[in-house]
Amino acid sequence: MSKMEQLEQVAEQVGILLNSQVELEAGECLIKRKRTINISSYNKSFTCTLDHDISFKNLKDSGKALNQAEVFLLPGELASFVNALHWHPIPLPNTYQHRMDINPDIICVYLSSEEPPEDFAARLSVAFDIIEQSSLV
């Protein structure tokens, strides 16, 4: 299998796991995932649709790649989201990192790891499912 075929196959699997469109661009896979949230601030409420930036690049023969995600969460979703990542059956790799930019109304979580993109996507998918289920309650 060629490097491009391997990249296409992994991109397709990641797209399925994250229920998202994928786009290949110069050896990088961009995952297009949107999320609509309701933000309440100062007795006002508004709905906005956010684009999560999720990608992987530098796919190696070992199946590992550099995975990155920029995810927007409401403050009440942060603990559930992070716990879902940490308690997922696929353990976090040694190269996993995350940091946050915190505002009163929204939190931006930046994730990165070097691991198979399918593992990164599977963990992220469960974390998204958990916060989406909690927003339905």
Side-chain angles (χ1 to χ4, degrees):
M1 180 183 325
S2 75
K3 196 75 159 164
M4 191 61 194
E5 288 170 332
Q6 181 188 12
L7 182 64
E8 288 169 354
Q9 189 176 43
V10 172
E12 185 179 331
Q13 290 174 321
V14 167
I16 291 167
L17 284 166
L18 288 170
N19 192 23
S20 303
Q21 297 286 325
V22 295
E23 194 176 286
L24 293 175
E25 193 175 285
E28 183 173 6
C29 178
L30 307 171
I31 296 98
K32 306 291 182 187
R33 184 170 174 124
K34 294 181 183 298
R35 179 164 180 244
T36 301
I37 60 172
N38 293 310
I39 297 176
S40 298
S41 179
Y42 304 108
N43 299 324
K44 292 181 183 169
S45 183
F46 58 94
T47 301
C48 61
T49 300
L50 303 168
D51 289 317
H52 296 306
D53 289 331
I54 305 166
S55 66
F56 70 87
K57 62 184 176 186
N58 301 336
L59 185 63
K60 297 185 172 109
D61 291 338
S62 66
K64 291 183 178 181
L66 175 61
N67 302 279
Q68 296 180 305
E70 183 177 298
V71 177
F72 296 97
L73 303 171
L74 295 171
E77 297 171 330
L78 180 63
S80 297
F81 185 83
V82 171
N83 284 336
L85 295 175
H86 286 274
W87 295 109
H88 192 275
I90 301 170
L92 292 167
N94 294 337
T95 57
Y96 171 81
Q97 296 177 12
H98 80 252
R99 66 179 176 84
M100 293 171 255
D101 287 341
I102 299 174
N103 292 308
D105 302 317
I106 198 158
I107 297 170
C108 183
V109 180
Y110 302 93
L111 308 166
S112 73
S113 70
E114 189 174 314
E115 64 183 314
E118 302 93 331
D119 291 356
F120 185 77
R123 204 180 296 110
L124 205 50
S125 178
V126 168
F128 281 135
D129 288 347
I130 285 172
I131 62 170
E132 285 164 11
Q133 287 169 10
S134 68
S135 70
L136 299 174
V137 175

